[in-house]
């Protein structure tokens, strides 16, 4: 019997932050869920799905996941880019969810079964200054984390990526229409970051894995200088040292430092990542399930990476929903070269809308053994949290020139 797609619904909700959720219903009554969230551009993905893909999706065979992926990728002349790929990513996730539910098995079983018992995870520690940062790291260790991303303020700057002043939880997107502005000072950052990271390493000892995100701010020679300066800190990785466009320039960074590099959270396809992987200009590929076309396409990216001894370490900020997080964990359990999963955590209201079966224990995550992805989305609860616009900030240099945020 062919399992036909009967209905496609797109739900934009805001339980603490905005999410776009895709619901696919089949002729035999199964429901699959997909995450289509693109931070600060939510409505464009919702429209792409609702207005352009959904009409063509209704009536298709729900079991033909790979064919449907190609139908919306190769079958579309204007392809690639975050809006299109997040839409395909959501469809792909929802169809894997349905396939798992139809078979009565968790998705990781359909991907080849578990290759490990649990997935190492890292979370964020933030502090405006070193004492605050050390408190935050200590708190994360009490929670059991074995790997922590550390970000701090920079003297002379008011706002810095990854940190808030005071006790507020860091959330990159700010409510309101249009982006907030930040001022950035590369020299101050380059002077300050090594001092902070050395102080953290000194305080925590050798074992805790430490990570740091540069968030696309440096040019290659600045990145090389920072990498060299941080070698004694023994970082697990240094992330997004340069903007992702000029990939061959990463060769310069590699000539100067052996610091492990992680890149890829803004990539949408294997073609965005192929030079970095095949020239081995990175050690970790950071693509998120939603933003790079779903489980089917991430498997291909990770397979290419495996050949070149590059490890998978998907993006897991608060702006990918628990559906994406769950899909990432099913991949994590079944992918040999999967290294670590970022887990930033969510605002409290998220738990009212997304009921997830993945679990955290002692620094590790597991997707759980519910059929499919193991996430149920409560539409009635979601209706209590209507969308309101939120945008990522922009950054300017000290003289007012636009900078990569
Ligand atoms: C980040 C994100 O988690 C990360 O590594 O770089 O916080 C990123 O800034 C956001 O996902 C943007 O939406
Ligand atoms: Mg990042």
């Amino acid at each position: 019997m062919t399992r036909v797609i009967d209905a496609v619904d797109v739900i934009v909700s805001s339980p603490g932050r905005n999410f776009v959720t895709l619901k696919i219903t089949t002729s035999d009554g199964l429901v699959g869920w997909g995450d289509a969230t693109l931070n600060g551009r939510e409505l464009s993905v919702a429209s792409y799905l609702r207005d352009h893909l959904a009409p063509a999706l209704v009536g298709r065979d729900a079991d033909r996941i790979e064919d449907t992926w190609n139908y919306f990728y190769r079958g579309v002349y204007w392809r690639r880019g975050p809006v299109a790929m997040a839409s395909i990513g959501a469809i792909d996730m929802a169809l894997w969810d349905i396939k798992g539910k139809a078979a009565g098995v968790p998705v990781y079983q359909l991907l080849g079964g578990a290759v490990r018992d649990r997935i190492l995870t890292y979370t964020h520690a933030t502090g405006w200054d070193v004492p605050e940062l050390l408190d935050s790291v200590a708190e994360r260790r009490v929670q059991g984390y074995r790997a922590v991303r550390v970000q701090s303020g920079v003297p002379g700057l008011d706002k810095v990526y990854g940190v808030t002043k005071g006790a507020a939880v860091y959330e990159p997107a700010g409510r309101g229409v249009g982006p907030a502005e930040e001022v950035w000072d590369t020299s101050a950052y380059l002077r300050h970051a090594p001092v902070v990271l050395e102080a953290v390493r000194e305080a925590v000892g050798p074992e805790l894995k430490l990570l740091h995100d540069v968030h696309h701010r440096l040019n290659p020679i600045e990145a090389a200088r920072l990498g060299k300066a941080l070698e004694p800190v023994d970082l697990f990785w240094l992330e997004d040292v340069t903007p992702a466009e000029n990939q061959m320039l990463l060769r310069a960074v590699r000539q100067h430092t052996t610091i492990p590099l992680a890149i890829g959270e803004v990539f949408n396809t294997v073609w965005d990542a192929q030079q970095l992987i095949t020239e081995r200009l990175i050690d970790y590929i950071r693509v998120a399930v939603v933003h790079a076309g779903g489980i089917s396409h991430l498997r291909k990216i990770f397979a290419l990476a495996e050949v070149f001894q590059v490890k998978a370490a998907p993006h897991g900020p608060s702006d990918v929903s628990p559906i994406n997080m769950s899909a990432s964990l099913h991949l994590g359990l079944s992918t040999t070269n999967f290294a670590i999963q970022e887990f930033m955590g969510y605002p409290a209201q998220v738990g009212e809308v997304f009921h997830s079966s993945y679990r955290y224990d002692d620094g590790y995550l597991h997707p759980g053994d519910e059929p499919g992805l193991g996430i149920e989305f409560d539409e009635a609860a979601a209706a209590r949290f209507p969308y309101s616009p939120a945008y990522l900030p922009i950054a300017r240099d000290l003289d007012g020139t636009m900078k990569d945020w």
Side-chain angles (χ1 to χ4, degrees), residues 122 124 149 151 161 212-216 237 239-240 262-266 286 315-317 342:
Y122 76 90
H124 298 181
R149 188 190 86 165
Q151 307 292 138
Y161 163 76
H212 179 68
D213 192 345
V214 184
H215 221 264
H216 325 270
W237 77 44
E239 180 177 333
D240 285 334
I263 295 186
E265 65 184 45
V266 297
R286 297 262 301 134
H315 196 201
E342 179 183 23

Side-chain angles (χ1 to χ4, degrees), residues 299-349:
R299 289 180 89 192
K300 293 178 188 177
I301 299 176
F302 293 171
L304 179 69
E306 184 181 11
V307 174
F308 291 89
Q309 288 178 276
V310 171
K311 289 197 165 182
H315 196 201
S318 56
D319 48 272
V320 298
S321 88
I323 303 170
N324 177 113
M325 182 56 62
S326 179
S328 213
L329 294 173
H330 284 275
L331 272 164
L333 208 67
S334 56
T335 302
T336 303
N337 60 322
F338 198 101
I340 194 165
Q341 175 62 56
E342 179 183 23
F343 186 65
M344 184 176 167
Y346 293 107
Q349 300 97 311

Side-chain angles (χ1 to χ4, degrees), residues 92-135:
D92 187 81
M93 265 180 256
L95 294 181
W96 279 103
D97 191 23
I98 288 167
K99 206 181 261 304
K101 285 170 175 163
V105 296
V107 167
Y108 75 81
Q109 292 291 8
L110 302 177
L111 303 177
V115 297
R116 57 180 56 82
D117 303 326
R118 49 189 189 160
I119 298 153
L120 182 66
T121 180
Y122 76 90
T123 194
H124 298 181
T126 68
W128 192 256
D129 53 27
V130 171
E132 264 181 35
L133 180 56
L134 290 179
D135 284 350

